[in-house]
Amino acid sequence: MSALSPARALSPASAAMDVLAETTGSVDLATVLDRAALTERVDTKYLIFPAVLGRLIEHLQAEPEGEVDVLEIDGRRRFAYESRYLDTPDLRMFRDHLQGRRRRFKVRTRSYLDTGGSFLELKLAGAVGGTEKVRWALPDRAVEDVAGRAPGALESLYRELAHHGHRRIDTLAPSLTTTYSRTTFVGRNRPFRLTVDTDLECREALRPGRGGLQALHDRVLLEVKSPTSRDRVRRLLLDLGARPVAMSKYGVGLGLTRGLSTRPWADAVGRHLDADLAA
C-alpha cells in the first residue's frame, strides 16, 4: 500500500501478483543475495500484463534448470518501496538521461516501507549498457535531509562519482518522490532476478500537495536483471510476444508531473504505462 495514498484500493495488477507469488517456493533475502546479488548487471524492462508474466513463470518452472522462487519476509511477498530522487538545480541527471548520454547516473534514497531501512543509492550506467549500483545505509529520517543528517554517506557518494570519472556535484536537492509495490523472483539455478512493480505513484518532491502520476494499475513493470543480456528469460519473453521497452520511473515521473519532455520513453508513455495524471 502506498505511503502517498494510504486508502488506495489494491489494483488488479497487485492482486494478480499476490496470486502468482503463491505459485512458487519462497526464499529469504539472504538467499536472494547469495544467488543473484548482481550489483553489476544488465537490466531489461518490459511493460506487460500479469497474465504474460504468469506464462513466463510457468515456462521457467517447467525447465530443469529454470525454477524460480519468490522473496518472502515475515510472511509478505509484495513490498512497498519509496524512492526520493535528488538532482541538481538544472536537473542534470534528468537531462543526461533525456539526451541519451551513455555515461550517466542517478542519485536517490530508497526506503523499504514494510520491512524498514533506508539507503542512499548511486546508480551508474556504463558505456556498454551495463548498470552498477552502490549504496550506503542511512539513519532514521535521514532521507528527509541527507546533507544534514548523513553527510558521510553523501561524501562517500561524491568519492564514488570521482572514482568513475564524473565531475563533482555541489548541490543536490529533492526532485521527485515515487512509491510502488514490488515482488521479487530469483532463479534457483541461474543468477537472475525478476523484479515486478505495480501501483506506481510519482509526485514532485518540492510540491507534494500537487497532483501526481498514478500508473501500473493493470500492467506490471518487469525488470530482468542478469549478468549478461543473453539470458533464457529474455528469449522466453520474446517467444511470449513481450518486447523490451525504454522506461525510467524518474524520467517519466518527472517529465509528466512537470510538463517536461518524455521523448526517450514515448512508447512506454503512449502505449503501455496505463497512467493517470491527477490535477
Side-chain angles (χ1 to χ4, degrees):
M1 184 176 293
S2 167
L4 294 176
S5 296
R8 185 177 175 187
L10 188 68
S11 71
S14 285
M17 287 312 307
D18 288 351
V19 173
L20 181 58
E22 292 298 326
T23 66
T24 73
S26 64
V27 291
D28 59 15
L29 181 59
T31 302
V32 170
L33 296 177
D34 181 60
R35 291 184 188 177
L38 300 175
T39 55
E40 297 184 39
R41 65 201 185 215
V42 176
D43 299 341
T44 308
K45 297 175 182 177
Y46 304 80
L47 284 162
I48 57 177
F49 287 102
V52 177
L53 180 63
R55 291 198 292 273
L56 172 66
I57 298 297
E58 288 177 5
H59 280 292
L60 290 173
Q61 296 285 48
E63 291 187 347
E65 297 299 322
E67 298 92 340
V68 294
D69 294 304
V70 67
L71 171 64
E72 180 176 310
I73 302 174
D74 295 332
R76 292 179 179 267
R77 298 190 176 194
R78 180 170 51 85
F79 305 92
Y81 285 50
E82 179 184 82
S83 295
R84 299 189 181 197
Y85 290 88
L86 306 175
D87 211 329
T88 60
D90 63 350
L91 301 179
R92 170 188 167 186
M93 282 166 257
F94 171 79
R95 298 189 188 284
D96 280 355
H97 206 164
L98 191 67
Q99 294 165 10
R101 297 186 185 276
R102 291 189 177 274
R103 293 188 68 256
R104 60 181 182 267
F105 59 90
K106 284 186 291 193
V107 177
R108 69 189 178 202
T109 63
R110 171 166 286 177
S111 299
Y112 299 89
L113 303 181
D114 292 320
T115 56
S118 296
F119 295 84
L120 176 65
E121 295 187 342
L122 172 64
K123 194 171 183 180
L124 298 132
V128 293
T131 301
E132 181 179 352
K133 187 168 74 173
V134 187
R135 66 182 192 170
W136 300 268
L138 293 175
D140 290 344
R141 302 187 65 81
V143 295
E144 299 169 6
D145 179 14
V146 176
R149 296 176 183 267
L154 204 56
E155 282 302 318
S156 295
L157 182 144
Y158 290 147
R159 286 195 296 270
E160 191 70 23
L161 282 174
H163 173 72
H164 287 271
H166 292 283
R167 59 185 172 85
R168 184 180 175 93
I169 297 173
D170 293 322
T171 304
L172 283 174
S175 53
L176 187 78
T177 299
T178 67
T179 61
Y180 52 95
S181 295
R182 171 167 289 186
T183 305
T184 299
F185 297 90
V186 62
R188 192 175 297 171
N189 299 299
R190 297 199 305 269
F192 69 84
R193 289 206 314 269
L194 310 177
T195 60
V196 187
D197 296 342
T198 58
D199 291 332
L200 172 64
E201 295 191 16
C202 305
R203 293 186 185 275
E204 286 191 61
L206 298 181
R207 293 183 284 182
R210 293 192 65 200
L213 171 76
Q214 294 188 348
L216 302 177
H217 317 295
D218 299 321
R219 294 174 177 84
V220 302
L221 174 59
L222 166 66
E223 193 161 1
V224 179
K225 304 176 181 184
S226 59
T228 72
S229 60
R230 296 185 176 184
D231 186 272
R232 176 64 175 156
V233 177
R234 293 174 175 83
R235 293 195 296 271
L236 283 171
L237 282 163
L238 188 64
D239 292 341
L240 291 169
R243 300 293 185 270
V245 64
M247 171 63 190
S248 162
K249 293 188 188 76
Y250 181 50
V252 169
L254 193 69
L256 290 181
T257 55
R258 292 199 185 187
L260 303 173
S261 173
T262 57
R263 176 179 42 80
W265 316 286
D267 189 48
V269 172
R271 297 178 55 200
H272 302 294
L273 196 58
D274 83 284
D276 300 315
L277 274 171

